[in-house]
Amino acid sequence: MNPLRQLYRPSLTLLTDLYQLTMAYGYWKNGMAEREAVFHLFFRKNPFKGGYAVAAGLQAAADFLADFGFEDSDLDYLATLTGNDGSPLFEPAFLEFLRDTPFQCSIEALPEGTVAFPHEPLLRVRGPLYQGQLIETPLLTILNFQTLIATKAARICQAAEGDTVLEFGLRRAQGIDGGLAASRAAYLGGCHATSNVLAGKLYGIPVKGTHAHAWVMSFESEIASFEAYARALPNNCIFLVDTYDTLEGVKHAIQVGLKLREKGYEMAGIRLDSGDLAQLSIDARKLLDEAGFPNAAVVASNDLNDHVIADLKAQGAQIAVWGVGTKLATAYDQPALGGVYKLAAIRNGEDQWDYKVKLSEQLIKVSNPGIIQVRRLFQGDTPVGDLLYNEEFTPLMEKMMDPLHAGQAHPVPVHDRTEDLLVPVFRDGQRVYKHPTLSESRAYAQAQLKALPAAVRQLSEPASYPVGLEKQLYDLKMQLIQAARHEA
């Protein structure tokens, strides 16, 4: 079943900004609504000052589009909206048009887990102009957030160097939707499990958790709380040891762990949630090993992120499991991806494409025209560069034009194969893409990241991955910029 439908029974079609509807109405009034148009959804800078992003959110976006359509309650509400003079904002004939016209767009997108770079479409929309406009906002809100969280999760897992990473962010997440989307995207990005039980039910993500400080404080002593927990859940014992005195807490956990062993169970580990995590983990590991618990994991939490984990690793911390919450689920150090959605082409009255660019004094904000596909170049299994080209023209595999520095060209990297990354998801409004399972997308993301050059994956000051415009696309863009500036 569609997870969105499990959560939301009413229509989500009005999950958009009002100006999308006013523009759609304007197109309809001017006889333009059903002209074919192309939009691209992309981002301009890699998040977290990193070298890449991990595309995520396509499944939810496709689920949204599969149910796209105006219900009576949607149209009844729109009929109540008024303009500045108090008159209805939309005339009844337009609302009937919305009711009677099915979703007709074709969608191409990067599969979830694909490593992506600035200016590359995460998703391309082709269809009636008004529909492409109406779906801008929901596509951005879904893909922006999940891509951001999946990327952060990938960075955290990279810092953990193969250790288990648990996503614990639901209590600090941005509401119900933010918590669920974050858990899903974090798992796709590499986390091994979540504390979010509803996400486990909806998405099949493994769930993990033990107890909090309140459990310990509910009993007359710390050791009594551990003993009570061991009686209740002998097969799930990771004891939180820092409520009072951390190393004494480890000793108490060991005492209870020995009693568990006598009953045929094994203590899974201890959790540190405060203090000098590096030194405390070293001391705890020593106590556990000396007591005969070499397999008991030292778990750490407490405002962890990729940089903190990397620093703790450098200090020799003996932590095997990392519980990451706030800094992951909220993308604490960069709360928005900054993805944008731009018109790139529209059919004219002669059924020819009019290509479009959005101008800016900053070249980074000048959009790319055309019907863009992303061609990835490989040398063996290693991606060596991406070429953006207009599908209306056969690409010339000679030069890569720098999208940020006018006139600068680079040779196309040496490669032995290519792959076009955008795949069909909808054809004329019908869903055609068979989505991988979330676990399959997670494995795909791991393979993508592993293949990426190590210098591009560095957490700090990564190398730039080559992305360029194909020469014909670049020339078209320059012609449109010159023409637009001349007209202005």
Side-chain angles (χ1 to χ4, degrees):
M1 181 185 287
N2 181 334
L4 290 182
R5 274 297 180 200
Q6 290 180 265
L7 288 170
Y8 303 103
R9 291 181 180 86
S11 164
L12 290 176
T13 300
L14 294 187
L15 183 67
T16 192
D17 293 303
L18 180 60
Y19 79 171
Q20 310 291 11
L21 282 154
T22 58
M23 284 189 285
Y25 180 57
Y27 295 141
W28 180 78
K29 288 287 285 184
N30 286 279
M32 301 168 59
E34 297 184 273
R35 286 171 60 180
E36 187 178 19
V38 175
F39 295 84
H40 297 126
L41 189 157
F42 60 96
F43 60 92
R44 296 185 175 116
K45 293 182 180 180
N46 286 317
F48 312 113
K49 299 181 180 179
Y52 63 86
V54 177
L58 178 60
Q59 172 93 55
D63 289 343
F64 173 86
L65 295 175
D67 281 348
F68 186 84
F70 290 86
E71 298 182 354
D72 288 345
S73 62
D74 299 327
L75 300 173
D76 290 345
Y77 171 73
L78 293 179
T80 69
L81 301 182
T82 59
N84 293 332
D85 61 355
S87 300
L89 198 57
F90 306 116
E91 62 185 86
F94 173 66
L95 300 181
E96 289 301 314
F97 171 74
L98 293 180
R99 183 202 310 275
D100 296 338
T101 308
F103 183 62
Q104 298 171 316
C105 292
S106 295
I107 308 289
E108 282 77 31
L110 300 184
E112 290 196 274
T114 302
V115 174
F117 303 95
H119 312 293
E120 299 179 348
L122 299 179
L123 181 143
R124 187 180 78 203
V125 175
R126 181 171 175 171
L129 175 60
Y130 86 100
Q131 288 191 356
Q133 201 73 71
L134 288 174
I135 62 177
E136 171 183 356
T137 298
L139 290 178
L140 282 170
T141 195
I142 292 168
L143 295 179
N144 269 343
F145 183 67
Q146 290 207 36
T147 296
L148 188 72
I149 300 302
T151 305
K152 190 63 171 177
R155 291 173 57 85
I156 288 169
C157 292
Q158 180 182 335
E161 299 177 355
D163 294 343
T164 297
V165 178
L166 311 176
E167 180 271 311
F168 282 178
L170 179 58
R171 291 174 299 160
R172 303 285 178 79
Q174 317 295 14
I176 296 170
D177 300 307
L180 288 168
S183 295
R184 183 188 185 278
Y187 183 66
L188 189 150
C191 290
H192 297 82
T194 179
S195 65
N196 185 341
V197 182
L198 183 55
K201 175 187 174 183
L202 291 174
Y203 305 122
I205 304 171
V207 293
K208 297 289 183 182
T210 55
H211 67 78
H213 294 104
W215 175 268
V216 178
M217 296 163 65
S218 297
F219 292 82
E220 61 184 21
S221 68
E222 182 177 64
I223 194 165
S225 75
F226 291 172
E227 289 171 341
Y229 194 83
R231 286 193 298 272
L233 294 118
N235 60 348
N236 192 52
C237 286
I238 295 178
F239 298 114
L240 179 58
V241 296
D242 73 331
T243 306
Y244 304 118
D245 180 288
T246 300
L247 294 182
E248 285 300 310
V250 176
K251 294 173 184 177
H252 290 154
I254 289 169
Q255 291 179 48
V256 177
L258 291 169
K259 293 178 182 178
L260 271 171
R261 186 174 285 171
E262 292 173 358
K263 297 178 180 180
Y265 296 98
E266 203 56 32
M267 177 174 65
I270 58 97
R271 178 159 73 98
L272 307 172
D273 191 51
S274 61
D276 184 343
L277 295 181
Q279 189 58 53
L280 286 171
S281 69
I282 292 168
D283 294 340
R285 180 77 270 157
K286 183 179 179 182
L287 289 170
L288 291 167
D289 290 347
E290 289 176 347
F293 291 95
N295 296 321
V298 176
V299 182
S301 48
N302 188 32
D303 284 339
L304 300 174
N305 64 18
D306 40 346
H307 298 292
V308 171
I309 292 172
D311 182 59
L312 287 167
K313 283 279 191 180
Q315 293 179 59
Q318 296 296 299
I319 296 167
V321 181
W322 306 85
V324 188
T326 305
K327 301 295 177 69
L328 170 55
T330 68
Y332 192 85
D333 45 343
Q334 183 181 323
L337 177 66
V340 294
Y341 184 94
K342 299 298 179 186
L343 178 68
I346 186 170
R347 294 279 190 189
N348 60 27
E350 288 74 44
D351 202 33
Q352 302 293 317
W353 283 117
D354 283 340
Y355 296 114
K356 302 293 182 179
V357 293
K358 180 262 180 189
L359 293 187
S360 171
E361 295 299 319
Q362 300 170 271
L363 195 56
I364 193 174
K365 290 192 173 183
V366 178
S367 62
N368 291 317
I371 304 169
I372 292 178
Q373 175 62 271
V374 182
R375 178 161 291 180
R376 182 154 293 171
L377 317 177
F378 293 86
Q379 186 66 27
D381 293 329
T382 303
V384 293
D386 289 359
L387 188 71
L388 276 59
Y389 72 93
N390 183 359
E391 283 191 347
E392 295 293 291
F393 305 107
T394 302
L396 303 175
M397 304 297 289
E398 299 171 357
K399 297 178 180 178
M400 292 174 60
M401 306 302 296
D402 193 316
L404 298 183
H405 300 90
Q408 287 193 16
H410 307 281
V412 171
V414 175
H415 60 282
D416 53 29
R417 67 180 179 93
T418 66
E419 178 184 344
D420 286 355
L421 299 184
L422 295 174
V423 301
V425 181
F426 284 80
R427 279 281 177 260
D428 299 322
Q430 299 301 309
R431 197 169 185 170
V432 297
Y433 182 62
K434 183 179 179 181
H435 293 271
T437 66
L438 182 56
S439 293
E440 289 170 341
S441 293
R442 179 179 181 274
Y444 177 66
Q446 299 307 299
Q448 288 267 300
L449 290 163
K450 184 178 179 181
L452 202 61
V456 177
R457 286 188 285 114
Q458 288 179 180
L459 295 178
S460 299
E461 299 182 359
S464 295
Y465 179 84
V467 175
L469 305 184
E470 185 266 348
K471 184 63 165 57
Q472 296 169 100
L473 174 59
Y474 176 82
D475 290 343
L476 172 64
K477 181 176 181 177
M478 292 300 108
Q479 292 167 12
L480 292 171
I481 290 172
Q482 292 175 8
R485 287 178 174 161
H486 177 73
E487 292 174 2

